[in-house]
Amino acid sequence: MSDHSISAPSPRQTGYLLTPGPITTTLSVKQAMLTDWGSWDNDFNLLTASIRQQLLALAHAEAEFSCVLLQGSGTYAVEATLATLVPRSGKLLILMNGAYGQRMAKICDYLGRDYVSLDMGDYLPPEPAEVARLLAADPAISHVAVVHCETSSGILNPVEAIAKVVKTAGRSLIIDSMSGFGALPVDARSLPFDALISSANKCLEGVPGFAFSLIRTGVLQQCAGNAHSLSLDLFDQWQYMERTGQWRYTPPTHTVAALAQALQEHTAEGGVAGRLARYRQNRDVMLAGMRQLGFRTLLEDDWLSPIIVTFFCPPPPFDFKAFYAALKQRGFIIYPGKLTAVDSFRIGCIGQVAAAQMQQLVSAVAEACQELGLSLPVPLPAHLTSSTVAQA
Ligand SMILES: *Cc1c(COP(=O)(O)O)cnc(C)c1O
């Protein structure tokens, strides 16, 4: 078991957040927000510079990439990256298997960028060979977007294999690694991509307020004038940061200080490898306990991420709202499901939780089931007992 020590939730905290972010943070990360920084002050500029450098280092991307920080949640950085990198005459292939791929299509609708999508439904992975075929058939496609861990199902997409076929086809790859970066290894020296997007408040265990994109500098230099939006123009944001060391427009100062502290704690935990090891253990402890209670996962083991896991809801009297409330009362906040066809819920493995909390969670789930009048192990959901779907 990990000896990573977890501080108890602070008095006004609702419980441990077993969600895809914002997540539970350390007391020291929260305390880092007790200073009011001047946005023009040199000490704050040094903090900004150090964060940019550390984020590049996490992806081994110091040599050929630039880190562009952007105020707002993760979606702002996804929209800004698409707007800045994909020229108005470009065309995007979106690899879609959940809500975040679908959101990129919606962004393209707003931006007026041409796109096609390979829609795999709720949870099936995109096939690299199919991607190669689509790229060969349509020379107009200039860029491909893929979600690293599609948080809506928890699937870990085959990003390495996708990157290979995109590179072979001579196109540009944009990776949404929002929910994985900091825990899922990324090595820009061997993984061919042009941009990778993430935010402060997921696996890096900072608080919400800004996101960032690691963009190949040679590509970014060609992007002047692409963006349709001033505040989302990452080329302009980058130029301004390079020139002045400051953010364009008011920076989320407290959030920046919190991430600086969170990055120190990330290093102290052993970097990406250390964090991944704890999250994997969180998942394994939680999964073993949940399975013992009769719960079934949406995905087969090979596709399960150490980020978040989707479970099918058992049949009535199970009721998600009542289940959620019973767990909240016991100090755990879980997350509703996002599947279109069947009822599900999700449990996150990220943030300041370790094996001991995951074990407490499993006990809380058992108590909640009893409170809801379910026998243990819980009965199978109806769609798993009918032979047609069981084979799917
Ligand atoms: C969280 C997340 C986002 C961004 O969501 P925000 O709510 O805007 O922070 C984008 N993509 C993925 C895969 C995510 O998990």
Side-chain angles (χ1 to χ4, degrees):
M1 281 250 152
S2 147
D3 57 358
H4 185 88
S5 75
I6 300 291
S7 48
S10 54
R12 276 194 268 161
Q13 198 162 311
T14 44
Y16 290 105
L17 300 175
L18 302 179
T19 68
I23 39 72
T24 308
T25 57
T26 59
L27 182 60
S28 37
V29 163
K30 292 188 251 296
Q31 281 167 341
M33 293 186 285
L34 294 177
T35 303
D36 300 315
W37 296 84
S39 65
W40 282 58
D41 188 80
N42 193 48
D43 291 341
F44 181 72
N45 294 345
L46 290 175
L47 213 53
T48 296
S50 134
I51 281 175
R52 293 178 69 202
Q53 199 52 36
Q54 289 179 74
L55 293 174
L56 286 172
L58 284 183
H60 306 284
E62 302 98 314
E64 294 183 12
F65 287 75
S66 298
C67 174
V68 191
L69 308 174
L70 183 71
Q71 298 92 329
S73 84
T75 304
Y76 290 66
V78 174
E79 182 158 352
T81 302
L82 295 181
T84 305
L85 260 62
V86 182
R88 291 169 212 213
S89 60
K91 183 172 180 179
L92 185 66
L93 167 63
I94 303 171
L95 309 183
M96 218 182 251
N97 54 352
Y100 294 102
Q102 289 165 10
R103 190 176 297 173
M104 288 200 271
K106 197 168 178 183
I107 287 172
C108 286
D109 287 334
Y110 269 76
L111 299 185
R113 296 296 193 279
D114 197 9
Y115 68 93
V116 283
S117 47
L118 172 60
D119 190 351
M120 303 303 298
D122 272 351
Y123 57 89
L124 294 175
E127 281 282 341
E130 175 68 1
V131 175
R133 203 188 57 72
L134 289 170
L135 292 178
D138 188 351
I141 296 171
S142 53
H143 294 71
V144 177
V146 66
V147 180
H148 199 171
C149 169
E150 179 43 91
T151 325
S152 37
S153 66
I155 190 174
L156 201 51
N157 277 322
V159 162
E160 285 79 10
I162 300 282
K164 237 178 240 162
V165 304
V166 173
K167 186 186 162 103
T168 303
R171 317 300 168 81
S172 176
L173 181 67
I174 297 169
I175 304 174
D176 171 356
S177 191
M178 203 72 65
S179 60
F181 190 66
L184 301 178
V186 170
D187 191 337
R189 296 166 304 185
S190 53
L191 181 72
F193 64 87
D194 282 343
L196 181 140
I197 309 154
S198 190
S199 71
N201 63 278
K202 294 195 178 187
C203 297
L204 296 174
E205 300 191 355
V207 303
F210 70 98
F212 56 91
S213 197
L214 309 181
I215 307 176
R216 191 176 292 279
T217 308
V219 169
L220 187 53
Q221 277 162 345
Q222 311 295 313
C223 290
N226 281 352
H228 61 295
S229 152
L230 172 65
S231 57
L232 296 180
D233 186 350
L234 292 186
F235 177 82
D236 201 43
Q237 178 89 330
W238 170 62
Q239 292 266 294
Y240 189 88
M241 259 186 196
E242 291 290 311
R243 208 168 56 238
T244 64
Q246 294 163 8
W247 296 57
R248 254 185 349 162
Y249 322 136
T250 301
T253 46
H254 298 76
T255 304
V256 171
L259 186 68
Q261 175 62 28
L263 286 171
Q264 274 186 28
E265 295 173 16
H266 185 268
T267 304
E269 193 178 354
V272 171
R275 188 136 302 174
L276 179 60
R278 175 162 58 87
Y279 289 175
R280 271 201 180 129
Q281 190 183 42
N282 287 350
R283 178 199 59 195
D284 292 345
V285 167
M286 183 266 288
L287 205 53
M290 291 295 286
R291 282 179 169 159
Q292 216 158 33
L293 297 177
F295 286 90
R296 299 296 179 97
T297 57
L298 164 73
L299 300 172
E300 288 177 14
D301 287 8
D302 283 355
W303 298 106
L304 289 175
S305 67
I307 309 296
I308 192 163
V309 178
T310 298
F311 292 95
F312 291 124
C313 292
F318 182 91
D319 167 69
F320 177 74
K321 272 192 180 151
F323 183 63
Y324 178 92
L327 289 180
K328 180 174 174 180
Q329 210 181 17
R330 290 165 173 83
F332 295 98
I333 304 288
I334 63 164
Y335 217 55
K338 227 171 187 164
L339 303 179
T340 44
V342 292
D343 289 334
S344 61
F345 63 89
R346 290 175 287 173
I347 299 182
C349 313
I350 67 177
Q352 273 301 296
V353 287
Q357 284 72 40
M358 292 318 234
Q359 241 139 20
Q360 288 164 22
L361 164 78
V362 171
S363 308
V365 168
E367 287 174 25
C369 288
Q370 279 158 344
E371 197 175 291
L372 299 186
L374 284 149
S375 58
L376 288 177
V378 293
L380 283 183
H383 76 276
L384 285 184
T385 54
S386 83
S387 56
T388 44
V389 184
Q391 289 162 359

